[in-house]
Amino acid sequence: MKKISYFIFLILCLAIIPVVMAAKNPYSKYKNWYGEKVANCTYDAWQAAYDNLGIALPGWGNANTWLSSAAKAGYSIGSKPKKNSIVVFDDGGYGHVAFVTAFSEEEETFTLAGEGTMSLFEYEINGYYTLGYIYLDEAPKKSSSSNSSSSSGSSSSSSNKTTSSASSALKSLEVENYKLDFKKDTYTYVLEVPNEVTKIKVNAKAQDSKAKVENTGEKELRVGDNYIAIKVTSTDKAVSSYNLIVTRLTEDVKSEEEVTDEETSEEELENTSETVEQKDDKKNKNLNKLLIVGIISPIVLIIIILCVVLLKAKRKDKNGKEGKEKNRKNENKKRK
């Protein structure tokens, strides 16, 4: 009996521990027209990062905001594909993300989890614009952010460094009408602008007057994240890349500066409709409850069946002993 009790306890522990320890995917699956459960790209990319690298990323909202969110969180980003990175696309809507499991520089192809191997340009032909890559192999660095704001936006920066020399460093980096907390050893900057801002002008100067600075000037902005890599090449071919991510807000989203200038009553806040993320959180909680019930219910059923079997065995054993005792008494009476 003790062995059986220990066995039951061991089954419970083995079933419950994975449920408790498993990281929760902040995104959820949904039912398609055929009633099948399918997932968005954000769910698949998050799950692939966790399954392949054991990294539980936070919920970064829609795909087209992942690059700026990752930079703010301290992850290194760039414009070159790498294995174990997440590629972020702008499709003119909510964006698209995918986990890169392999990359061939010679063939100019990458393999995406759940999507197969394809040309680097295949997505862009189909209307996808590559925003950049989030490098998960490089641990997040603490952000040296300075949330400085202008009259119509806000900015922050994080220290995501690339290989460089003093001769390939920038002396200054500016976005007209916006304030950047520029430091020559800080290589990633995140800027947020209102929806009505459709273009910005980027100015940059190298410390060495002979160094070449590329990708500055006027830049058109899409809604969502816009990745701008300012490349500095010195006379000795040393290269530094300064990353500027400009997030153009949607029409129904206001910048931090606009929000602070408005007074919103408590009643208006209470009546505000739920965001997509809040709805996803509710769905995740319900799914987790169903998952736990689905795992524990069979275990409880097994325990009940084992208990019934044990009780029957005990009764049978008891009845057998009583029958033997009765037969023994009858035999004794006959002898007398």
Side-chain angles (χ1 to χ4, degrees):
M1 188 69 181
K2 286 183 178 179
K3 288 183 178 179
I4 293 171
S5 299
Y6 176 76
F7 179 70
I8 293 169
F9 177 74
L10 186 62
I11 290 173
L12 281 169
C13 289
L14 291 173
I16 293 170
I17 287 172
V19 176
V20 175
M21 294 182 67
K24 175 185 172 185
N25 190 325
Y27 302 94
S28 59
K29 293 185 177 182
Y30 64 95
K31 286 186 178 180
N32 61 14
W33 290 102
Y34 304 101
E36 301 170 332
K37 279 193 174 181
V38 293
N40 285 320
C41 62
T42 46
Y43 179 97
D44 291 334
W46 189 98
Q47 199 62 49
Y50 183 75
D51 292 341
N52 287 275
L53 303 175
I55 296 175
L57 296 170
W60 284 333
N62 293 325
N64 60 0
T65 64
W66 274 40
L67 199 67
S68 59
S69 298
K72 289 176 184 176
Y75 282 92
S76 292
I77 61 169
S79 58
K80 293 183 179 179
K82 289 182 181 179
K83 181 182 177 181
N84 294 332
S85 66
I86 290 177
V87 58
V88 185
F89 296 105
D90 179 10
D91 60 356
Y94 294 111
H96 181 66
V97 287
F99 182 81
V100 182
T101 58
F103 168 64
S104 173
E105 191 170 358
E106 292 180 358
E107 298 177 5
E108 293 188 335
T109 59
F110 54 14
T111 304
L112 305 180
E115 299 184 31
T117 302
M118 60 195 71
S119 164
L120 295 175
F121 309 104
E122 190 172 332
Y123 262 101
E124 296 191 7
I125 291 171
N126 292 323
Y128 287 79
Y129 169 77
T130 306
L131 290 172
Y133 296 83
I134 303 167
Y135 304 130
L136 300 180
D137 278 344
E138 301 175 32
K141 302 175 179 65
K142 289 184 179 179
S143 176
S144 59
S145 61
S146 59
N147 294 319
S148 56
S149 60
S150 70
S151 58
S152 54
S154 63
S155 67
S156 61
S157 59
S158 58
S159 298
N160 295 325
K161 297 185 178 182
T162 59
T163 304
S164 64
S165 68
S167 58
S168 64
L170 280 179
K171 182 180 181 180
S172 65
L173 176 61
E174 298 174 347
V175 176
E176 287 190 3
N177 301 321
Y178 294 92
K179 183 182 177 183
L180 290 181
D181 185 15
F182 175 75
K183 296 175 184 176
K184 67 176 183 179
D185 295 325
T186 299
Y187 292 83
T188 299
Y189 297 86
V190 180
L191 178 67
E192 191 177 87
V193 300
N195 175 261
E196 57 266 22
V197 178
T198 58
K199 60 179 69 174
I200 57 169
K201 189 173 182 181
V202 180
N203 299 317
K205 289 183 180 180
Q207 282 192 337
D208 184 352
S209 59
K210 295 180 181 179
K212 184 181 179 182
V213 180
E214 299 176 73
N215 205 24
T216 58
E218 200 169 77
K219 303 293 176 183
E220 296 283 342
L221 299 179
R222 298 165 176 256
V223 173
D225 286 351
N226 296 264
Y227 178 76
I228 303 167
I230 295 96
K231 186 179 176 183
V232 187
T233 307
S234 67
T235 52
D236 60 356
K237 304 302 180 183
V239 177
S240 290
S241 182
Y242 290 81
N243 306 312
L244 177 61
I245 304 170
V246 184
T247 304
R248 182 186 168 195
L249 301 176
T250 55
E251 290 183 9
D252 57 340
V253 179
K254 296 185 173 86
S255 65
E256 292 177 10
E257 187 71 17
E258 290 177 310
V259 171
T260 53
D261 287 342
E262 294 182 359
E263 293 182 2
T264 308
S265 65
E266 292 184 4
E267 290 182 0
E268 288 175 331
L269 288 172
E270 288 174 359
N271 294 329
T272 302
S273 59
E274 290 181 325
T275 62
V276 174
E277 288 182 15
Q278 287 172 329
K279 289 179 181 178
D280 286 343
D281 286 340
K282 283 189 176 181
K283 287 181 183 177
N284 286 333
K285 288 177 182 178
N286 292 332
L287 286 172
N288 285 338
K289 287 178 182 177
L290 290 172
L291 180 65
I292 293 168
V293 170
I295 292 174
I296 292 176
S297 296
I299 296 169
V300 172
L301 185 62
I302 291 169
I303 293 170
I304 292 170
I305 292 169
L306 287 172
C307 290
V308 170
V309 171
L310 288 171
L311 285 171
K312 283 185 177 180
K314 195 173 182 181
R315 283 181 184 175
K316 190 176 180 181
D317 185 52
K318 186 179 179 181
N319 291 334
K321 287 181 180 179
E322 288 177 353
K324 287 179 181 179
E325 184 64 25
K326 191 174 182 180
N327 291 334
R328 189 178 63 78
K329 286 180 180 179
N330 289 335
E331 286 177 3
N332 289 337
K333 284 180 181 181
K334 288 178 181 180
R335 287 176 185 175
K336 289 179 180 181

